[in-house]
Amino acid sequence: MTSALRSSRPGGGIGLHNAVMAADHRNTNPLPALWRDLAPLLPENPAPAPWTGPRWWWAGALDVEGLALGSLQALATALAAGTGRDIALTSRGAAASFASYSHLRVDGRAVGGFAPLSGFRRTIDGWVRLHANYPHHERALLTALRVATVDAVDAALLRMTAMEVEDRVTAHGGVAAAVRPPEEWAGSPAGKGLPGEPWIRVGTAPAPAPPRSVPAALRGGSGGILDGLRVLDLTRVIAGPSGSRILGALGADVLRIDPPGMPELEEQYLDTGFSKRSAVADLTDPAAYRRFRGLLEAADVVLLGYRGGSLARFGLDPDALRADYPGLGVVSFDAWGNAGPWAARRGFDSIVQAASGIAAIYGSGEGGSWRPGALPVQALDYATGLGAAAAAVALMGARNRGISGSAHLSLARTALELMRLPAPPSGTERSELEPELRTWPSVYGELTFAPPPLQVDGRQLEHSRPPQPYGSSALVWE
């Protein structure tokens, strides 16, 4: 289908890096050096990848642009350091990729947003954020509140405090968070341990002998930049799938595996399903589990995006995987960090924003009319996904130098990184960076979407294929 790919703007399509450089002068405002967390895996003194375009455009209370550009630069720097290729990024590409869900169209129709029960709700003493996009989370929420219908939820919440809602819904397997100010989160048991963590926590060890072979592209070959790299994607929702999406666009064979009975939301799958394959496997079935283990034997990287401990019963926690497959790059991430009291708790970008204080920072109004707010994009998800992709690339580059390792991130730690950045200059005005969108036919209809946010060797990176039918792939490598 490559020949059917087209730009949705006249004169668009695959643009030259030099043309972009001529149109957007090189920006001298510094970016957060998020790539430095990968230093143990990178060659000594790598040059950060160049970028062009405006430094700010969303114009909010926090430097969301810095988080977007910095996380994308981390991936670009790891790619350039590992391959010697020319990797660059632009503000326009970063803005479009962090808003990719809002740009997605299916046969010209915009995709849906949050479910009716997902969002901010008043309680007797403040506000709570609910997440009920998935049917099983909606059922858990209704059970926790002891109501039978969606219409009865608001009345039930107004009889409870925000903390009571958070505790009760969480105990029933649902997802909710009280809206806290930043200082309350920082002093909480769950928030106290985060400042001691880097954004990307890297662990290294000598690579096994003989070392697992490294894809030719990561040895400086001339093919696709990640051709030959095999990535097993055990992630859901946005963060992990968006990270594996760009690895697939770079040439990796990405195989996403989901459990049966809990299908991904279709429109969410479409946003993140480009340049990869999709399979469904019941790991409680011995035959499927054996095939899955066969995939691990030949994999280069595994991305783990389930909440802490949920995969341990299958021997798929990071420590077990590193012991069983010493040459495997293991990149894990979760909502709240894997060492604190909330390690096993469910969480999403919007929920982390509420609990960490971001929703309070973006609140508006006075007195009784005050209500919490949200970031302009789901930046915690997309930045964490880029961080995971950057760690995967850095791990593979390090393997070529005899270093093996793993990496861990969390949405909560990404939130802290964002809140630590200096605020945008006062008086910064919001501006629109018009995206260069693409249109492609698929089995789901004609898709309009944002391309991957990188330029490789002076040309815009493009996706290799549209989303394949969900669960259509066999448990084999291509």
Side-chain angles (χ1 to χ4, degrees):
M1 291 187 181
T2 303
S3 61
L5 176 66
R6 65 181 187 275
S7 170
S8 62
R9 293 181 60 198
I14 301 174
L16 293 176
H17 176 53
N18 289 341
V20 174
M21 291 289 286
D24 290 321
H25 63 82
R26 188 178 297 271
N27 203 306
T28 57
N29 291 305
L31 298 183
L34 301 185
W35 60 270
R36 293 190 185 278
D37 283 348
L38 298 172
L41 302 173
L42 300 178
E44 189 174 357
N45 298 322
W51 66 285
T52 57
R55 177 60 176 81
W56 293 280
W57 57 89
W58 285 311
L62 297 175
D63 187 11
V64 184
E65 299 91 339
L67 181 67
L69 290 166
S71 57
L72 184 56
Q73 188 184 53
L75 171 59
T77 301
L79 283 165
T83 66
R85 308 282 282 272
D86 174 21
I87 313 294
L89 55 138
T90 69
S91 300
R92 189 183 306 276
S97 69
F98 271 63
S100 65
Y101 189 78
S102 64
H103 292 310
L104 181 66
R105 299 291 183 272
V106 182
D107 290 329
R109 299 187 307 272
V111 295
F114 286 101
L117 277 181
S118 294
F120 295 111
R121 293 287 196 284
R122 287 187 182 273
T123 65
I124 195 171
D125 66 337
W127 290 85
V128 69
R129 179 100 195 203
L130 307 178
H131 195 288
N133 286 7
Y134 290 90
H136 58 292
H137 289 157
E138 179 179 303
R139 291 192 297 270
L141 173 63
L142 296 177
T143 300
L145 298 181
R146 300 170 185 160
V147 298
T149 66
V150 172
D151 293 339
V153 167
D154 285 338
L157 293 175
L158 289 172
R159 295 191 295 268
M160 304 169 65
T161 67
M163 291 303 298
E164 286 172 339
V165 175
E166 177 182 284
D167 292 341
R168 185 183 293 181
V169 172
T170 300
H172 282 79
V175 188
V179 174
R180 296 166 169 82
E183 59 272 16
E184 182 178 331
W185 171 249
S188 71
K192 281 182 177 179
L194 294 171
E197 286 276 306
W199 178 52
I200 304 176
R201 188 179 73 229
V202 172
T204 62
R212 187 184 297 225
S213 63
V214 177
L218 283 166
R219 297 196 301 270
S222 59
I225 193 163
L226 293 185
D227 280 358
L229 190 73
R230 291 172 168 174
V231 179
L232 201 55
D233 180 8
L234 302 182
T235 71
R236 289 173 65 83
V237 198
I238 295 176
S242 66
S244 62
R245 175 181 63 185
I246 196 165
L247 293 177
L250 289 160
D253 180 13
V254 177
L255 179 58
R256 171 176 171 167
I257 299 180
D258 285 279
M262 293 179 61
E264 184 61 275
L265 302 174
E266 182 175 290
E267 292 173 338
Q268 206 157 259
Y269 170 72
L270 292 181
D271 176 40
T272 60
F274 291 87
S275 300
K276 67 178 79 169
R277 296 182 293 128
S278 165
V280 172
D282 181 0
L283 298 187
T284 64
D285 175 65
Y289 186 71
R290 285 193 297 272
R291 289 194 296 273
F292 177 80
R293 281 285 178 176
L295 290 171
L296 282 170
E297 290 282 356
D300 296 295
V301 175
V302 61
L303 303 179
L304 304 175
Y306 287 76
R307 60 194 175 93
S310 61
L311 294 176
R313 63 192 174 111
F314 299 113
L316 301 178
D317 58 286
D319 289 342
L321 285 169
R322 292 284 297 131
D324 292 344
Y325 310 98
L328 181 67
V330 180
V331 182
S332 60
F333 58 91
D334 45 52
W336 308 105
N338 62 359
W342 285 19
R345 185 173 292 206
R346 296 171 177 86
F348 297 90
D349 181 305
S350 59
I351 297 297
V352 175
Q353 287 189 44
S356 66
I358 291 174
I361 292 172
Y362 276 76
S364 61
E366 298 291 340
S369 66
W370 183 89
R371 64 173 294 118
L375 297 176
V377 292
Q378 291 189 257
L380 308 185
D381 267 332
Y382 289 108
T384 302
L386 285 170
V393 170
L395 284 167
M396 292 303 95
R399 196 172 76 188
N400 193 37
R401 303 191 306 279
I403 301 171
S404 179
S406 61
H408 178 265
L409 304 91
S410 72
L411 297 180
R413 184 57 186 80
T414 300
L416 177 61
E417 195 71 27
L418 173 60
M419 290 189 288
R420 281 177 165 177
L421 297 179
S426 60
T428 301
E429 295 185 359
R430 185 180 178 91
S431 59
E432 297 295 330
L433 302 183
E434 185 179 0
E436 293 272 2
L437 301 179
R438 304 287 186 265
T439 302
W440 219 348
S442 80
V443 296
Y444 294 94
E446 186 175 73
L447 304 180
T448 300
F449 59 94
L454 288 177
Q455 295 162 351
V456 179
D457 295 336
R459 297 186 68 82
Q460 171 65 46
L461 181 65
E462 301 289 347
H463 283 301
S464 59
R465 65 179 98 184
Q468 305 299 290
Y470 182 78
S472 63
S473 295
L475 297 180
V476 297
W477 293 113
E478 287 189 330

